[in-house]
């Protein structure tokens, strides 16, 4: 039997084929399957270079068809100002997990951005207070924009503070999204002052030193820590994790490259102090928020489960719409 042709999908193809709402639903389903023990443990391999780093994330999911995906991403935070290139670039290889056949090779940027926002939305569904109305977004790049749009899919927010280490970026973010979302978005000069007024805080920066302190997070706040995805990145003071209900995407991954690993390294926490993986909550094995006063934190390092779920949507829609370029590597 001849192997199927591989579908090559560009960033514009992916953007046209994947929307935020269906990505959120797919990511929640992926976490649910994982939490119910219906899929294998995802894997990650990281390699640091002088100016950035690479990671390879791999997982498989049974989604009607049995899919496997491996994503290779380069993360170079200084790319935009140095070279005019995206900070994150990479590719996703989607395969038939029953036959081992490559099915598609697609740009990873749109999927990475959307699925990261989608995971925050899923976490907010279970961990934010139902009456949350004010949020702070820390990091006003493309990820910050998607994080805000993702939160709005779950939470009827009324007021947003935007903070960035570059004040011009937070000003631009506030201006653009106030108009686009018909929402009160204000630039914040001091991150702590903004977070103290907020019910939700999302951190999505390349910071290598924590900037969100325990003293700035009020009881009842939900924090989604998105930026830390390698051993050098850190956004949250370790003591903040120690006093909160901590939910991780993948425990082993967060203990190695997430905010959790800094708390473990400092001795503020043990692995046994982690309340749950998000899949356990989505899968119904544990409840999410259980009181108005508890601080809840989602340590989001990004898992290939999210990538498989999103890539499968892109691939199936590309086939249905006749989109992409077909390649035959067997020639």
């Amino acid at each position: 039997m001849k192997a199927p042709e591989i579908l090559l999908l560009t960033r514009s193809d992916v953007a046209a084929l994947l929307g935020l709402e269906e990505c959120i639903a797919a990511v929640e389903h992926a976490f649910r399957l994982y939490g119910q023990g219906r899929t294998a443990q995802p894997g990650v391999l990281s390699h640091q270079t002088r100016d950035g780093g690479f990671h390879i994330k791999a997982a498989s999911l049974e989604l009607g068809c049995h899919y496997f995906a491996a994503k290779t991403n380069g993360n170079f935070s200084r790319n935009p100002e140095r070279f005019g290139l995206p900070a994150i670039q990479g590719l996703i290889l989607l395969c038939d997990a029953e036959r081992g056949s490559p099915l598609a090779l697609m740009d990873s940027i749109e999927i990475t951005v959307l699925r990261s926002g989608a995971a925050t939305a899923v976490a907010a569904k279970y961990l934010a207070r139902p009456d949350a109305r004010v949020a702070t977004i820390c990091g006003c790049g493309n990820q910050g924009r998607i994080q805000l749009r993702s939160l709005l899919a779950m939470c009827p927010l009324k007021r947003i503070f935007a903070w960035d280490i570059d004040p011009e970026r937070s000003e631009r973010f506030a201006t653009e999204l106030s108009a686009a979302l018909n929402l009160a978005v204000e630039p914040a000069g001091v991150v702590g002052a903004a977070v103290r007024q907020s019910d939700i805080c999302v951190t999505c920066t390349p910071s290598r030193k924590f900037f969100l302190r325990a003293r700035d997070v009020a009881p009842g706040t939900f924090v989604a820590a998105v930026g830390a995805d390698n051993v050098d990145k850190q956004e949250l003071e370790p003591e903040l994790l120690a006093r909160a209900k901590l939910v991780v995407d993948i425990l082993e991954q967060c203990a190695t490259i997430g905010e959790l690993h800094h708390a473990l390294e400092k001795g503020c926490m043990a692995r046994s102090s982690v309340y749950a993986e998000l899949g356990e909550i989505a899968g119904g094995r544990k409840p999410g928020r259980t009181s108005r006063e508890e601080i809840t934190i989602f340590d989001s390092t990004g898992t290939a489960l999210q990538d498989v779920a999103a890539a499968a949507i892109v691939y199936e829609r590309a086939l249905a719409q006749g989109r992409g370029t077909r390649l035959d590597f067997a020639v």
Side-chain angles (χ1 to χ4, degrees), residues 32-296:
R32 184 178 298 115
L33 291 176
Y34 177 70
Q36 293 172 345
R38 294 163 61 190
T39 186
Q41 181 86 8
V44 60
L45 174 67
S46 297
H47 178 77
Q48 296 305 115
T49 66
R50 183 179 60 190
D51 296 315
F54 296 89
H55 62 243
I56 301 170
K57 294 181 176 179
S60 62
L61 283 174
E62 177 61 61
L63 300 169
C65 298
H66 194 186
Y67 290 112
F68 167 85
K71 181 177 76 174
T72 300
N73 261 8
N75 193 328
F76 291 74
S77 61
R78 295 176 60 202
N79 266 3
E81 59 263 30
R82 292 178 69 195
F83 307 116
L85 293 171
I88 297 175
Q89 302 171 88
L91 297 169
I92 295 174
L93 176 64
L94 184 70
C95 299
D96 181 326
E98 292 184 6
R99 298 173 177 83
S101 306
L103 299 174
L105 188 64
M106 62 188 76
D107 182 88
S108 71
I109 294 176
E110 293 296 322
I111 284 178
T112 299
V113 171
L114 283 178
R115 62 76 149 154
S116 298
T120 295
V122 175
K125 175 180 176 179
Y126 297 104
L127 298 175
R129 295 198 326 268
D131 63 349
R133 297 294 181 269
V134 182
T136 294
I137 306 295
C138 302
C140 295
N142 288 335
Q143 186 57 242
R145 287 165 166 76
I146 290 297
Q147 289 290 325
L148 177 53
R149 291 179 183 273
S150 299
L151 281 177
L152 289 170
M154 291 293 174
C155 306
L157 300 173
K158 301 298 184 185
R159 188 183 186 191
I160 308 298
F161 294 106
W163 178 84
D164 195 280
I165 196 168
D166 179 355
E168 290 186 6
R169 292 182 81 189
S170 57
E171 291 276 0
R172 187 164 57 249
F173 181 100
T175 300
E176 292 175 2
L177 293 187
S178 291
L181 301 175
N182 192 28
L183 190 65
V185 184
E186 308 166 35
V190 180
V191 63
V195 176
R196 284 193 292 273
Q197 301 176 67
S198 299
D199 307 306
I200 295 173
C201 175
V202 178
T203 61
C204 49
T205 76
S207 178
R208 292 172 181 265
K209 171 66 177 176
F210 70 79
F211 56 83
L212 186 60
R213 298 179 180 274
R215 66 176 183 240
D216 295 324
V217 180
T221 304
F222 164 58
V223 178
V226 179
D229 59 1
N230 69 47
V231 294
D232 296 321
K233 291 184 179 180
Q234 183 182 21
E235 299 177 304
L236 275 55
E237 185 178 27
E239 287 77 9
L240 172 57
L241 278 77
R243 62 181 280 228
K245 173 183 277 187
L246 179 61
V247 176
V248 297
D249 51 12
I250 303 294
L251 177 58
E252 183 60 34
Q253 200 167 291
C254 291
T256 305
I257 62 174
E259 294 291 342
L260 173 61
H261 113 267
H262 294 288
L264 295 174
E265 194 172 68
K266 192 170 181 182
C268 294
M269 294 183 69
R271 290 191 187 206
S272 58
S273 304
V274 174
Y275 173 70
E277 291 182 319
L278 182 58
E280 294 179 280
I281 298 173
R285 293 175 59 190
K286 289 186 177 181
R289 173 177 288 275
T290 54
S291 80
R292 283 188 53 81
E293 296 301 307
E294 64 188 352
I295 294 171
T296 55

